[in-house]
DNA sequence: GTACATGCAAACCTTTTGCACAGGG
DNA sequence: CCCTGTGCAAAAGGTTTGCATGTAC
């Protein structure tokens, strides 16, 4: 989604600025953040972020995208995701939820859906107790067939 | 672990042979299977399988390793795992457990531990009901600090 | 002004592919 | 014997890096 009022974007960027600490807020970094904000529902690859960023600043380089995404990950502004398709994907951290949501990867249409439930907490508690493993974060992907594909599939 | 009696290996290979269906059981494929069987606790990368395979057959090519691993995945003999370190890793499917175990990735020593618990079933049930998503498989990774590293860490 | 950031191109690393040859069923 | 599998080397991604130039603070 594009921002109806430029103000809204500026406000959000201002908020990131604080998280940047001593790191410089450059036009390129702003452009990457804007691209991510305008596609906060997607799981963009570096190449996709690059394409979006180029629409705003045609001079921007791919290396800058990678370096910026690395920085954003380090600053906990984005999460790097691995769906096993040979490229990393990135999504803005949703500050509201202290934890990730989960991903449902459709084996048929490759659509990636999201779930919010966090029953995983129970499992984490068991693991922390039984293995003494201190869990910081988790990545969960479910593979299967989405409602539509599952229907189509059973007809064949 | 090496096999104390060659018989044991031969037996296991024979069992895979059935799963191979019309695919040919070549010496190279046997070597890859042997390497995987002798390291069933590890999560080997293609390069690592290659190194192990070369010890048995120094003529084997890396492309063959990749092609064999692809085949083994297709035949549900191995699982391809993505830990986000830029390379795929493979592990033998444990036929005994209908489902995967989970992986604990230590952020400090990069050790990969495993858990067997499957409380995830509850979560899957909720997801199947609420999203109509038909789950076939899942990949779960927990990131955090293993018991040793966690101890060390709190001392610093 | 200075340390950090950028763009470009080359390098890198993992994985894939084309092709001529080899060998399993 | 035929079709599939193999080895090699080249190509193909995705990502990183070196370096000269540019710029946020």
């Amino acid at each position: 989604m594009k921002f109806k009022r430029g103000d809204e974007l500026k406000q959000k960027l201002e908020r990131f600025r604080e998280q940047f600490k001593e790191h410089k807020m450059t036009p390129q970094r702003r452009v990457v953040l804007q691209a991510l904000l305008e596609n906060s529902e997607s799981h963009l690859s570096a190449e996709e972020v690059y394409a979006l960023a180029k629409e705003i600043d045609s001079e921007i380089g791919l290396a800058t995208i990678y370096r910026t995404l690395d920085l954003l990950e380090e600053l906990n502004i984005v999460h790097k995701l691995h769906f096993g398709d040979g490229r990393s994907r990135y999504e803005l951290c949703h500050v509201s939820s202290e934890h990730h949501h989960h991903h449902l990867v459709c084996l048929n249409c490759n659509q990636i859906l999201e779930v919010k439930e966090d029953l995983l907490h129970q499992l984490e508690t068991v693991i922390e107790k039984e293995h003494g493993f201190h869990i910081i974060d988790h990545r969960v992907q479910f593979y299967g067939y989405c409602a539509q594909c599952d229907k189509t599939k059973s007809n064949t």
Side-chain angles (χ1 to χ4, degrees), chain A:
Chain A
M1 102 283 200
K2 299 271 180 216
F3 291 98
K4 301 120 214 165
R5 304 166 56 229
D7 293 356
E8 200 183 330
L9 172 60
K10 275 180 204 144
Q11 260 179 44
K12 301 212 179 189
L13 289 178
E14 197 54 38
R15 225 171 301 151
F16 285 127
R17 188 183 208 133
E18 296 159 25
Q19 291 185 62
F20 264 56
K21 302 175 195 166
E22 64 283 5
H23 298 278
K24 291 172 185 167
M25 178 55 90
T26 65
Q28 289 88 343
R29 289 174 178 177
R30 251 187 288 267
V31 164
V32 170
L33 284 170
Q34 184 181 341
L36 291 170
L37 284 168
E38 289 179 349
N39 294 274
S40 54
E41 308 305 308
S42 325
H43 307 88
L44 301 172
S45 65
E47 206 66 52
E48 287 166 342
V49 174
Y50 181 45
L52 290 164
K54 270 211 147 165
E55 288 177 16
I56 311 174
D57 168 10
S58 61
E59 297 287 282
I60 203 166
L62 181 54
T64 302
I65 304 294
Y66 277 104
R67 283 186 284 229
T68 302
L69 289 171
D70 279 355
L71 175 64
L72 295 180
E73 199 199 4
E74 185 193 323
L75 297 176
N76 266 302
I77 293 174
V78 301
H79 278 127
K80 197 173 186 174
L81 305 168
H82 308 281
F83 293 122
D85 61 347
R87 77 205 66 190
S88 298
R89 297 187 165 276
Y90 301 83
E91 69 175 8
L92 281 173
C93 299
H94 298 289
V95 279
S96 53
S97 65
E98 78 276 353
H99 238 42
H100 293 302
H101 41 252
H102 312 143
H103 291 109
L104 306 181
V105 184
C106 181
L107 294 169
N108 187 243
C109 63
N110 293 310
Q111 186 186 181
I112 298 164
L113 304 162
E114 295 183 354
V115 230
K116 289 189 213 69
E117 284 82 18
D118 214 342
L119 285 179
L120 222 52
H121 274 317
Q122 296 177 33
L123 181 52
E124 291 187 354
T125 308
V126 176
I127 292 172
E128 300 220 332
K129 233 176 264 171
E130 297 205 357
H131 297 262
F133 189 92
H134 178 201
I135 295 173
I136 299 293
D137 197 4
H138 61 234
R139 298 295 151 88
V140 182
Q141 291 129 41
F142 293 97
Y143 296 86
Y145 297 98
C146 66
Q148 299 96 296
C149 290
D150 199 37
K151 215 176 291 172
T152 318
K153 216 170 147 281
S154 51
N155 293 339
T156 54

